[in-house]
């Protein structure tokens, strides 16, 4: 990291969206491939490229590979997703690249998540008579099926962290260990992390159930439990995420999202 | 090779690849002038009840001038391949959609589509069948290849598959389960491109989305282009032709045809206008007012651009 | 046709290759799509474009669509196959275009042909212990499977026109009426004509067996039978092909193949 | 979904798409300099017994300098995707091929390949499995898609299918028979392109043959390029990149790398040299003399070009 990276900030000095972006950004490693969707992942990728991951290979669903994220894209097909990119192809090529095993990380969102990291972005209520019709899978199911490690970014509350989804849009570990492979999904793939405004979760290596790994600044284990409607495992040693640094916030506000479209 | 699972969703369009071949055989292979207006193209080639698809996605290179004309002419009971933002939102707003294969209809950073919610939750849309994004693109790809299905590893294990019309079979080579997606043949495909000649040879700059696949999956294909160019321009760089002329039924010259969406290397999206739609679409009444203002009350794309204003359009041009 | 098209020539004034080219060329209609393979079809297409079919859409296996055949291609992928073409893609796109029903005519060759228009270009003798290993299907099987109407161009003798092939490389009508459809080939497709140095054959509409339609100049029905090792049907009225015209030969020799690579 | 028919041919390479995924995951995604000589590339990335494939076909944009180096290094017991002219003829001439999936190996206008005939008829080649041209390209496409098979309507009803390793199944959507081709994953793919950067981002002018598919179907991919360009050249036109860098293991600068074949827009084929080979290849002894003269006795591609002669090469350049 360059500059005064270790100057941390108190909660009052950043908002929850900024926290999510900075937390997601820190998960993005240099020289890795990441399937980047609309919204927070775009900002996180742009921030990561400016800090610790200048050669993060951002891959966008509709064809952009290896763009330099100087300007923030507003949609997964727009020009900034292939600005000075190495290749600009189309959705079949990109998702087949993931299907072929070339994309390490995938970022996901959703309206609900369950203990196995399955996600719902289709309907709330009954499928045939929905209470709320959500946008649908979009690329979610594809990312969750093919990328080696998926990272879900989602706001943390009991309506979202549920024991049972109304609809499994995107596969996590499905019903548990071995279920992905039995369904025909590529072996070795699956959920890796869940990033929320309260915490970062991983998955138990054996049971594949969601497990608290790290707390966001000022948050307690109890806060996380009380916002989760299922029995969340807790790692033996729960880490404490440092708050966004001054440099992260400065870059985020002055360069990544200078028009304040998201933050 | 056993069928392990069959999705319970209905096939909104059958993958009749033999009938598609017969149709394609009858399309003219002569080089004939296909230029016409949006009004002519939609009147001639879009029927009530047709299954239609648009390309690209988001608010990027979207065939808005053609979509506005469908709304203007009130083509109804449409079945659509539901992946998009503004273009499909307009069809939903105007109550023209009866059934859809959906993957994502929403407003991206601005959230869910209120028009979709109203149409689905009210029951005005009779059938919704869910798929993943790539699944719909792959279904076009199967049709483009001229085969009735395509094997993929998306959708497995999920309700997305369960409620779709896909099937899971045991792969006869590996013994593992694999998902088969039925080909999706469109009655009408709509694509906006950077340039096309009068015959329909069309070229796209930047990412190609799923233009190649959708063009080849369409029984009738309507192209709108920022610019109509001489055929010599095409012939000087044939490796840039994404859509060869014989696929195409109509070529419409539509500068700023993607407005309020963007056109890469040409103009940016009109963020203020998109926000105007996002706000308008929240309520039935304001939705109708938007349609009145920008579609029903203007005669054509040219008048629409006048309404938006030359100054505004110039601001959107990329350097 | 332009110029003195009806000035015909005697057999002494042209060779068998020239005759095959001119006969094939006359079968190529303006404004139709034709899948053009190496050799005689290339010359025939180039000649047709200069005469009666200026808008013949020549489609080459490795990607060229709608080239202007000013210069004779030497191979199905070389630059002249997409010289001033309308599109230049790749083999999958081209054969899928045929598979989708867009290519009306396909031209084929082979070492052997049978009464149902099936072709062998793979082996002479036993497959596992061949007497002669031939080049293989190449695009032949694909053209014969997907194009609506195929035209075989082949030299006429008893070793080539056989009752039973050593190997069915490319499908004609297979074992007879309905066999293509039963095999899963697209309905309505199949062999249309066979062009040889002796005659032009078609197929009986019901039995799908090969049938003599027209004789090349100076050839009798008996000549054809004595060079065919199976029972060839004969049309009620056998036509007599006019010989190559002066204009055809002039264009062929002075423009199409001015370097005398084939003729 | 019944298996109606299974080709009796052996699968020379198994369509293990999961192992392919694991392999692909380990390939470096960092931008690293991959430029090297032919000798280094072949030494490092080609092993005896490998299954290799070359692109394009005919005598067009063929990776001759890489193939000559395989011959020079005597990599043996190769299994090959047999679709080509000069490049595969050289491997056959040097007795390096043990098994092949064949669609067409011949000399086009100059007739059959005598090297192929000698190798097959003598039994030096242990296995030959036949396919159609498109079938082999589609098999690459299946691997490129990351699925174990692809459905097509080629090969049905013929001995080409009977002796292949394809299967015919009843389509679960239409009930009609359809051919399934197993994915073909190459140990090594060889492609010659117009330009590439040091990382392997590669661009092709004119027809693309099956470069996109073969590149994506290769575990190790060796690119030779007429010209190594700066990455900014790639970034300025990303929609021209057919092969993105992460697929590539070696980038070899090889001007006239397709000689005696052609390179569209750059140079024509060397007809006299091709005829020299056609003549030489007719007999075992003269074949060996050709190999001695043009491959075994020259150190590298640079020396080969000197042997061919600068004057001759200049004559071949296109205006």
């Amino acid at each position: 990291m360059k500059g005064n990276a270790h100057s941390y900030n108190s909660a009052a000095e950043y908002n929850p969206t900024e926290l999510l972006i900075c937390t997601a950004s820190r998960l993005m490693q240099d020289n890795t491939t990441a399937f980047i969707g609309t919204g927070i992942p775009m900002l996180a990728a742009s921030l990561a490229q400016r800090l610790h991951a200048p050669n993060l290979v951002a891959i966008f669903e509709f064809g952009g590979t290896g763009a330099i994220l100087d300007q923030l894209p507003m949609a997964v097909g727009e020009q900034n997703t292939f600005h000075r990119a190495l290749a600009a192809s189309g959705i079949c090529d990109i998702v087949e690249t993931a299907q072929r095993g070339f994309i390490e990380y995938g970022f996901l969102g959703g309206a609900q998540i369950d203990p196995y990291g399955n996600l719902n972005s289709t309907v709330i209520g009954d499928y045939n008579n929905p209470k709320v019709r959500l946008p649908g899978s979009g690329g979610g199911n594809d990312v969750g099926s093919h990328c080696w490690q998926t990272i879900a970014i989602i706001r943390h509350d009991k309506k979202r962290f549920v024991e049972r989804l109304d609809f499994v849009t995107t596969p996590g570990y499905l019903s548990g260990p071995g279920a992905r492979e039995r369904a025909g999904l590529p072996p070795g793939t699956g959920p890796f992390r869940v990033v929320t405004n309260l915490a970062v979760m991983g998955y138990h290596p054996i049971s594949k159930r969601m497990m608290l790994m790290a707390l966001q600044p000022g948050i307690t284990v109890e806060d996380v439990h009380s916002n989760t409607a299922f029995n969340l495992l807790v790692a033996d040693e729960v880490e404490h995420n440092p708050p966004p640094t001054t440099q992260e916030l400065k870059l985020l506000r002055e360069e990544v999202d200078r028009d304040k479209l998201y933050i | 090779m056993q069928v392990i699972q069959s999705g319970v969703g209905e096939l909104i369009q059958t993958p009749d690849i033999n009938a598609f071949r017969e149709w394609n055989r009858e399309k003219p292979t002569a080089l004939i002038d296909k230029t016409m207006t949006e009004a002519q193209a939609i009147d001639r080639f879009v029927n009530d009840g047709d299954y239609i698809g648009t390309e690209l996605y988001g608010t990027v290179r979207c065939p808005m001038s053609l979509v506005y004309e469908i709304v203007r002419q009130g083509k109804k009971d449409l079945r659509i391949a539901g992946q998009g933002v503004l273009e499909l939102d307009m069809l939903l707003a105007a109550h023209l959609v009866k059934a859809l294969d959906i993957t994502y209809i929403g407003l991206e950073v601005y959230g869910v589509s209120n028009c979709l919610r109203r149409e689905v939750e009210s029951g005005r849309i009779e059938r919704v069948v869910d798929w993943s994004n790539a699944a719909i693109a792959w279904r076009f790809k199967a049709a483009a290849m001229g085969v009735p299905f395509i094997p993929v590893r998306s959708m497995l294990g999920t309700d997305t598959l369960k409620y779709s019309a896909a099937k899971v079979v045991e792969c006869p080579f590996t013994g593992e389960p694999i998902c088969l997606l039925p080909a999706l043949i469109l009655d009408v495909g709509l694509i906006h491109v950077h340039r096309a000649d009068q015959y329909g040879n069309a070229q796209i700059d930047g990412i190609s989305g799923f233009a190649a696949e959708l063009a080849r999956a369409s029984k009738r294909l309507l192209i709108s282009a920022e610019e109509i160019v001489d055929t010599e321009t095409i012939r000087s760089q044939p490796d840039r032709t994404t859509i060869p002329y014989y696929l195409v039924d109509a070529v419409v010259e539509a500068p700023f045809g993607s407005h309020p969406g963007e056109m890469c290397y040409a103009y940016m999206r009109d963020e203020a206008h998109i926000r105007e739609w996002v706000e308008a679409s929240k309520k039935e009444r304001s939705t109708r007012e938007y349609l009145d203002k920008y579609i029903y009350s203007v005669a054509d794309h040219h008048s629409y651009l006048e309404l938006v204003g030359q100054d505004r359009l110039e601001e959107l041009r990329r350097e």
Side-chain angles (χ1 to χ4, degrees), chain B residues 138-162:
Chain B
W138 278 324
R139 293 184 64 197
F140 293 145
K141 183 169 178 164
M145 289 179 64
V147 290
F149 65 86
I150 193 166
V152 306
R153 304 182 84 181
S154 281
M155 294 176 51
L156 291 159
T158 63
D159 290 331
T160 308
L161 192 140
K162 180 179 172 187

Side-chain angles (χ1 to χ4, degrees), chain B:
Chain B
M1 188 175 181
Q2 298 300 313
V3 175
I4 298 170
Q5 185 187 358
S6 289
V8 300
E10 203 173 329
L11 265 177
I12 293 177
Q13 184 84 326
T14 62
D16 188 343
I17 218 73
N18 287 338
F20 190 39
R21 276 185 60 96
E22 297 283 350
W23 176 278
N24 290 337
R25 186 184 195 179
E26 298 307 318
K27 293 190 81 158
T29 45
L31 293 172
I32 51 177
D33 183 358
K34 297 166 188 161
T35 55
M36 59 188 80
T37 64
E38 283 91 353
Q40 290 169 321
I42 301 302
D43 178 57
R44 201 175 299 176
F45 296 110
V46 182
N47 304 312
D48 290 350
D50 274 352
Y51 193 115
I52 72 170
T54 58
E55 204 260 355
L56 183 73
Y57 192 96
T59 46
V60 182
R61 199 167 50 67
C62 38
M64 293 307 293
S65 75
L66 291 169
V67 168
Y68 283 149
E69 184 61 30
I70 292 176
V71 173
R72 200 173 286 123
Q73 295 190 19
K75 300 291 184 181
K76 63 181 189 297
D77 297 334
L78 299 176
R79 298 166 297 143
I80 61 174
Q83 41 177 196
V85 183
L86 298 181
E87 63 281 48
L88 299 187
D89 228 22
M90 295 296 156
L91 299 178
L92 292 163
H95 312 310
L96 300 176
V97 179
K98 190 177 71 177
L100 49 87
D101 284 306
I102 187 175
T103 169
Y104 175 92
I105 298 181
L107 298 171
E108 300 211 290
V109 301
Y110 298 114
V112 299
S113 159
N114 288 292
C115 296
L116 174 68
R117 288 184 59 168
R118 283 196 299 269
E119 295 300 291
V120 172
E121 293 163 22
S122 68
R124 278 195 293 271
I125 287 182
E126 295 173 11
R127 278 174 296 169
V128 179
V129 181
D130 274 86
W131 308 83
S132 76
N133 256 3
I136 290 203
W138 278 324
R139 293 184 64 197
F140 293 145
K141 183 169 178 164
M145 289 179 64
V147 290
F149 65 86
I150 193 166
V152 306
R153 304 182 84 181
S154 281
M155 294 176 51
L156 291 159
T158 63
D159 290 331
T160 308
L161 192 140
K162 180 179 172 187
Y163 290 99
S164 76
K167 291 181 189 290
V168 181
V169 300
E170 186 184 289
C171 168
F173 296 98
T174 68
E176 292 185 19
I178 192 154
C179 173
L180 304 188
L181 302 172
L184 179 44
I185 299 164
L186 296 166
D187 292 322
V188 186
L190 310 174
I191 303 180
H192 187 59
V193 302
H194 289 80
R195 71 195 71 81
D197 71 5
Q198 61 174 322
Y199 310 122
N201 294 296
Q203 301 183 338
I204 289 169
D205 299 333
I207 58 165
S208 53
F210 46 97
E213 293 85 3
L214 185 140
R216 286 159 178 76
S218 298
K219 289 169 76 175
R220 297 186 290 275
L221 181 61
L222 315 185
I223 296 293
S224 58
E226 288 291 322
E227 189 187 4
I228 306 292
V229 297
D230 193 89
T231 297
E232 273 312 306
T233 303
I234 304 290
R235 290 195 186 272
S236 67
Q237 262 196 303
D239 54 7
R240 292 211 64 103
T241 303
T242 303
I243 302 168
Y245 75 98
Y246 56 79
L247 299 169
V248 177
D249 295 280
V251 180
V252 176
E253 185 168 33
F256 284 97
S258 180
H259 184 274
E262 72 161 42
M263 197 71 186
C264 80
Y265 307 132
Y267 49 89
M268 297 179 291
R269 56 195 243 157
D270 188 338
E271 208 62 48
H273 192 109
I274 291 171
R275 284 188 184 141
E276 185 180 340
W277 168 249
V278 170
E279 282 309 309
S281 70
K282 285 179 179 165
K283 301 283 178 205
E284 182 81 45
R285 181 178 173 148
S286 49
T287 296
R288 175 72 198 193
E289 286 165 358
Y290 178 98
L291 298 184
D292 279 340
K293 178 178 175 188
Y294 288 108
I295 303 180
Y296 298 127
S297 301
V298 298
D300 54 22
H301 182 57
H302 182 73
S303 306
Y304 170 83
L305 293 183
E306 280 184 354
L307 182 62
V308 171
Q310 197 58 39
D311 292 351
R312 179 72 190 131
L313 295 176
E314 285 306 319
E315 285 172 24
L316 299 173
R317 275 199 197 286
R318 290 183 187 274
E319 303 311 297

Side-chain angles (χ1 to χ4, degrees), chain A residues 31-33 57 65-66 68 82 84-88 93 96-102 104 146 148-149 186-187 189:
Chain A
N31 291 316
T32 60
T33 44
V57 183
T65 295
I68 293 173
F82 54 95
R84 293 184 60 224
L86 296 168
D93 180 53
E96 289 162 13
T97 296
Q99 192 163 249
R100 224 161 55 240
F102 273 108
E104 188 61 32
H146 306 298
W148 289 102
Q149 306 190 74
T189 56

Side-chain angles (χ1 to χ4, degrees), chain A residues 156-197:
Chain A
H156 210 137
D157 62 44
K158 281 192 160 180
K159 279 166 61 183
R160 290 184 168 87
F161 281 68
V162 297
E163 179 66 35
R164 177 173 280 276
L165 304 180
D166 290 351
F167 189 99
V168 180
T169 308
T170 295
Y173 289 110
L174 298 172
S175 61
R180 283 179 70 91
E181 290 76 6
R182 283 194 300 278
L185 290 166
T189 56
F192 171 60
R193 290 286 182 271
V194 185
V195 174
T196 78
N197 48 317

